Amino acid sequence: MKISKILFIVLFSGLLFTSCDRNRVYEEYIKIDDYVWQNKNIVRFEFEIQDTSSLHNVYINVRHATIYPYNNLWLFIKSSSPNGLTNIDTVECVLSDEKGKWLGDGSGDIWDIQIPWKMGVRFPIAGNYIVEYQQAMRVDALPGIMDMGLRIEKKDEK
């Protein structure tokens, strides 16, 4: 009786956590070596899209330490579609407010923030896409960036 109760709780918890993120199509974080993002180091994400009819939201995920010396992070973002077309964006990720208070979720000296990049977009072609980040902060070594991430989710149809 006790084992079946524990099994039920474990299964229910698993369903609860997976159902909360049912819109996720892709999410990955890439660790930055020694938490110092070198200007020449490109962070590369490759993912497959099959659904060309749904709208999607695309987010930039940043995990940084409180030692990060700036209130923002400028990125060059290169995106490539399956047919070889590429696009380059320059994006500012605001990490703190005007008073220096970190935005996002924090635990101790680690902060996570999710920045909307492309909202309500449709991927026109099924296949493999590539997104690459390069830090564009005009310094060769950018301290305090721990991980960079990309999240793609289906947009809620409300």
Side-chain angles (χ1 to χ4, degrees):
M1 182 88 155
K2 201 174 204 179
I3 291 175
S4 62
K5 196 175 204 180
I6 292 171
L7 183 61
F8 173 76
I9 291 171
V10 169
L11 288 174
F12 182 75
S13 298
L15 285 173
L16 181 66
F17 288 118
T18 57
S19 65
C20 290
D21 209 8
R22 70 184 186 284
N23 289 342
R24 180 177 61 196
V25 173
Y26 173 84
E27 187 166 26
E28 183 179 0
Y29 280 88
I30 295 178
K31 182 184 178 303
I32 304 299
D33 291 337
D34 300 321
Y35 306 145
V36 178
W37 194 0
Q38 301 294 330
N39 182 277
K40 66 181 186 267
N41 290 352
I42 306 296
V43 177
R44 185 174 196 263
F45 304 93
E46 188 169 344
F47 54 94
E48 184 177 5
I49 296 292
Q50 291 300 320
D51 183 352
T52 60
S53 61
S54 296
L55 295 176
H56 294 82
N57 293 329
V58 183
Y59 298 92
I60 300 162
N61 293 337
V62 180
R63 181 171 293 132
H64 66 92
T66 56
I67 63 164
Y68 183 71
Y70 306 103
N71 69 344
N72 64 353
L73 170 64
W74 282 96
L75 299 174
F76 296 131
I77 303 178
K78 179 181 177 183
S79 52
S80 304
S81 62
N83 62 2
L85 292 177
T86 61
N87 185 50
I88 297 177
D89 289 332
T90 303
V91 176
E92 180 186 20
C93 302
V94 177
L95 304 180
S96 71
D97 66 16
E98 60 279 349
K99 294 181 180 179
K101 181 178 181 282
W102 295 116
L103 304 173
D105 296 320
S107 173
D109 64 343
I110 299 173
W111 289 85
D112 286 295
I113 186 166
Q114 189 169 75
I115 295 113
W117 175 35
K118 294 186 178 279
M119 308 306 284
V121 297
R122 185 170 282 118
F123 291 94
I125 302 167
N128 290 330
Y129 286 79
I130 297 170
V131 172
E132 297 175 324
Y133 300 160
Q134 181 178 14
Q135 65 99 339
M137 291 294 290
R138 298 184 182 161
V139 295
D140 290 335
L142 189 59
I145 300 295
M146 304 172 74
D147 301 281
M148 291 299 298
L150 178 70
R151 178 182 171 91
I152 300 166
E153 62 186 25
K154 286 188 179 180
K155 183 177 179 182
D156 280 331
E157 312 244 349
K158 293 181 182 177

